[in-house]
Amino acid sequence: MAEDSRILGPNGRPIRKAELTREVAAPSLTGVRQLWDARTVASGLDPDRLAALLNAAVQGEHQDFLTLAMEMEERDLHYFSVLATRKLAVGGLEPTVEAASDDARDVEIADAVRELVRRPEFGVAVDDSMDALGKGFSAVEIMWDRSGRQWWPADYLWRDQRHFRFDIEDGRTLRLLDEKDAFNGVPLPAYKFIVHTPRIKSGVPVRRGFARLAAVTYMCKAYGITDWVAFAEVFGMPLRIGRYGPNASPSDIQTLISAVANLGTDAAAVLPESMRIEFQEAGNRQGAAELFERLAQFMDRQLSKAILGQVATTEGTPGRLGSDDAQDEVRRDIQKADAGQIGDTISRHLVRPFVDLNYGPQRAYPRVLFPVREPEDLAALSDALEKMVPLGLGVEASWARDKFGVPDPEEGAVLLAQAAPPAPPAPPAPPALNRAQRDCPSCGKAHNREEPPDDAIEELVDEETSEWEEQMEGSADPVRQLAERAGSFEEFLAGLPALLEEMDSDALVRRLAAGTFKARGLGDATDEVE
């Protein structure tokens, strides 16, 4: 008897751990889950057959419908392209893990889930789960490994949707076809499958896939392509007509027939001089060829609108839904919806079993998210930084590098830097002065022949400022005495004009005159001053 766990599955029954490490949905050469299933539905598909299999799928018999869905991806290149684009729009996102709370235990569990999603096989599970976009649902079997201390998924195995069926009572619960019950199927073991049912539109899962929406379009396009190929076989080359004269013998006529028949492949023929071959163009064949091409293009545009929400990225030119920017927004909306739904599926069917098996049931569980980053106008951001940073806006260099996708420089690396501004041009040298220019009475200035020595100037300054307090007493004492007598600032201002007669400035004037004479003596003593 298989070992039962104390952990209860979604159906309320204990988890059977023995089933987690073995394949339960593996196909076989015989039985209800055959590995090599060569049945075909697309060949010879007509409106009556298509209507019959679509009705049967709604009633629970969806084997033929799922076969058609698989063949459509193999036969219609445009359908495969747009469906793959829709899948890869999510498969290329970088997953993140959000802890249940900031509690230490929840953070520890979230770190373990981050290790789970970083493993390379996790991407396989996401890609195979996105196969549900076309068929309405997908089932990926988890192969658990218990060789270490913890339970870890060792592999994720895509399972053929034709090996499952939905519960006949609710139309939503997926069951595995098995010899034990080949009609109704058996319940899926808990914690063993990632079952993704995208909500492309409302309804039961079997009616949500794009294959059901595209089936009629595929059939009409297949009819048009078939007629187009037949048209090309008939009108791809001009009609060849052989003409022979009245005297031609039966052998000559047979030679002419062989030449006309082989001319399309050999491009050469040998005829008697009395015979000739004419090439006659078919009338109005160009318009018929354009009709088939327009029909195929119309069907492709309808598929692009249904799956991608726009036609610009598939047709190479702006479509009829508005500008390219508006269409990009529609595409991002679809991408966000798909990313949110696959994140919910992974969190419910993979993260929760992983946490329960290793840490036991929790009050709340971490979530796996596939965030869709909004595109940024880096040119506008660069212009804003160029204007705002010089005004004092503080911006971290690491943040700016992340925005522009520039890695942090390594130590010692040669860095690009702003070029140094060019040095200003040197001022022109003054023209040489002759004797007449140096001694210029008309300008009133002395043009010195040489600069005075710096030491002499410093000695003169020290000498003249050494006794400045004594020299200022005759002029400063009357002002100080007036300030002591005045009872207010207005009275002080009114007494200032009368102080001129009391001030003794003779000593200060003589001192200034002597200093001026000495200063000029250090220059050109022959200068005249007006």
Side-chain angles (χ1 to χ4, degrees):
M1 182 176 181
E3 177 188 1
D4 290 347
S5 169
R6 290 178 297 177
I7 303 174
L8 301 182
N11 55 6
R13 291 182 292 182
I15 303 298
R16 301 175 67 87
K17 291 185 177 181
E19 294 181 339
L20 300 180
T21 57
R22 66 178 181 85
E23 294 187 48
V24 299
S28 59
L29 293 178
T30 59
V32 296
R33 299 193 303 270
Q34 295 187 14
L35 177 62
W36 307 108
D37 193 342
R39 80 182 92 176
T40 179
V41 175
S43 298
L45 183 67
D46 56 34
D48 292 337
R49 178 75 187 282
L50 178 61
L53 67 88
L54 291 179
N55 289 333
V58 174
Q59 298 173 8
E61 298 296 333
H62 51 227
Q63 307 303 316
D64 288 344
F65 166 72
L66 293 174
T67 300
L68 175 62
M70 187 178 299
E71 290 185 291
M72 287 169 54
E73 295 185 40
E74 298 172 350
R75 298 189 178 205
D76 192 331
L77 299 182
H78 184 80
Y79 177 69
F80 171 81
S81 174
V82 293
L83 193 60
T85 300
R86 178 81 176 257
K87 295 176 183 178
L88 295 176
V90 173
L93 298 177
E94 189 71 22
T96 62
V97 178
E98 183 181 88
S101 70
D102 295 333
D103 184 75
R105 181 66 170 175
D106 289 338
V107 172
E108 177 187 356
I109 295 175
D111 289 339
V113 175
R114 293 186 181 96
E115 175 63 25
L116 173 70
V117 301
R118 278 196 295 264
R119 296 194 171 192
E121 56 268 16
F122 176 78
V124 175
V126 175
D127 293 340
D128 287 342
S129 296
M130 293 304 295
D131 187 50
L133 290 176
K135 304 175 180 68
F137 72 98
S138 63
V140 177
E141 185 173 357
I142 307 173
M143 296 303 301
W144 293 95
D145 179 23
R146 190 61 175 86
S147 59
R149 296 178 56 188
Q150 290 184 314
W151 290 85
W152 288 93
D155 201 1
Y156 302 92
L157 304 178
W158 173 87
R159 294 309 187 188
D160 193 334
Q161 286 93 329
R162 294 175 295 181
H163 297 167
F164 300 83
R165 69 175 303 156
F166 287 96
D167 187 271
I168 196 66
E169 295 182 1
D170 59 21
R172 294 186 303 272
T173 303
L174 197 64
R175 301 173 68 91
L176 176 65
L177 294 181
D178 192 81
E179 284 76 7
K180 297 178 182 179
D181 192 341
F183 181 75
N184 294 316
V186 297
L188 301 182
Y191 293 1
K192 186 60 177 170
F193 287 90
I194 302 174
V195 179
H196 184 47
T197 54
R199 200 173 189 82
I200 296 173
K201 68 182 188 68
S202 300
V204 293
V206 73
R207 307 189 69 154
R208 295 181 190 171
F210 283 115
R212 188 175 183 88
L213 298 177
V216 175
T217 300
Y218 167 79
M219 183 189 65
C220 294
K221 183 179 176 182
Y223 273 122
I225 296 296
T226 301
D227 293 342
W228 195 0
V229 172
F231 177 86
E233 289 179 351
V234 175
F235 298 100
M237 60 179 60
L239 180 66
R240 303 179 299 278
I241 301 177
R243 299 185 184 274
Y244 58 87
N247 297 325
S249 64
S251 62
D252 293 336
I253 296 175
Q254 187 62 39
T255 300
L256 180 61
I257 294 175
S258 299
V260 171
N262 297 330
L263 188 60
T265 56
D266 298 338
V270 178
L271 302 173
E273 186 176 356
S274 61
M275 298 180 184
R276 68 180 188 275
I277 296 178
E278 297 179 356
F279 294 90
Q280 184 172 351
E281 297 288 339
N284 197 29
R285 66 187 181 94
Q286 184 65 31
E290 292 179 355
L291 173 63
F292 294 122
E293 183 177 8
R294 288 197 302 269
L295 175 62
Q297 291 178 349
F298 172 79
M299 296 300 176
D300 288 345
R301 285 195 297 269
Q302 305 315 303
L303 284 177
S304 298
K305 293 176 184 178
I307 298 176
L308 300 180
Q310 46 92 7
V311 298
T313 57
T314 57
E315 301 297 327
T317 56
R320 298 294 183 266
L321 301 180
S323 65
D324 290 339
D325 292 340
Q327 293 187 11
D328 286 343
E329 290 180 4
V330 173
R331 178 63 181 276
R332 284 196 299 273
D333 291 343
I334 294 176
Q335 186 183 18
K336 289 179 181 179
D338 289 344
Q341 292 177 15
I342 192 65
D344 292 341
T345 297
I346 295 296
S347 299
R348 181 171 58 254
H349 291 170
L350 176 61
V351 173
R352 179 164 184 170
F354 173 79
V355 174
D356 285 349
L357 292 173
N358 293 298
Y359 300 93
Q362 303 293 315
R363 177 183 52 83
Y365 294 83
R367 297 179 56 204
V368 174
L369 306 175
F370 293 82
V372 179
R373 303 186 184 279
E374 295 290 340
E376 295 190 48
D377 190 345
L378 296 181
L381 178 60
S382 177
D383 293 340
L385 293 178
E386 182 181 4
K387 296 175 182 178
M388 300 300 294
V389 170
L391 298 179
L393 177 65
V395 178
E396 292 185 5
S398 59
W399 176 87
R401 289 193 183 98
D402 292 341
K403 286 293 184 181
F404 289 93
V406 179
D408 294 335
E410 298 181 358
E411 184 177 357
V414 179
L415 304 180
L416 299 177
Q418 183 178 2
L433 303 178
N434 56 28
R435 175 71 181 182
Q437 291 172 326
R438 288 196 303 269
D439 302 332
C440 179
S442 62
C443 68
K445 298 182 180 178
H447 301 281
N448 298 333
R449 284 189 292 270
E450 58 183 7
E451 294 294 330
D454 293 339
D455 293 344
I457 295 296
E458 293 179 359
E459 292 178 0
L460 179 61
V461 173
D462 293 340
E463 180 182 351
E464 294 302 320
T465 58
S466 61
E467 300 176 355
W468 66 273
E469 295 181 352
E470 297 178 0
Q471 298 169 16
M472 293 293 296
E473 287 181 356
S475 300
D477 286 347
V479 178
R480 187 182 301 111
Q481 294 173 3
L482 175 60
E484 293 175 355
R485 295 194 307 266
S488 64
F489 182 67
E490 289 77 9
E491 184 179 349
F492 172 77
L493 294 178
L496 285 177
L499 295 180
L500 295 177
E501 298 179 356
E502 301 179 12
M503 291 182 179
D504 183 6
S505 59
D506 293 342
L508 177 60
V509 171
R510 285 193 300 270
R511 186 76 175 185
L512 292 176
T516 302
F517 179 77
K518 293 177 182 180
R520 291 192 58 79
L522 295 175
D524 191 344
T526 63
D527 291 346
E528 296 181 5
V529 180
E530 295 183 356

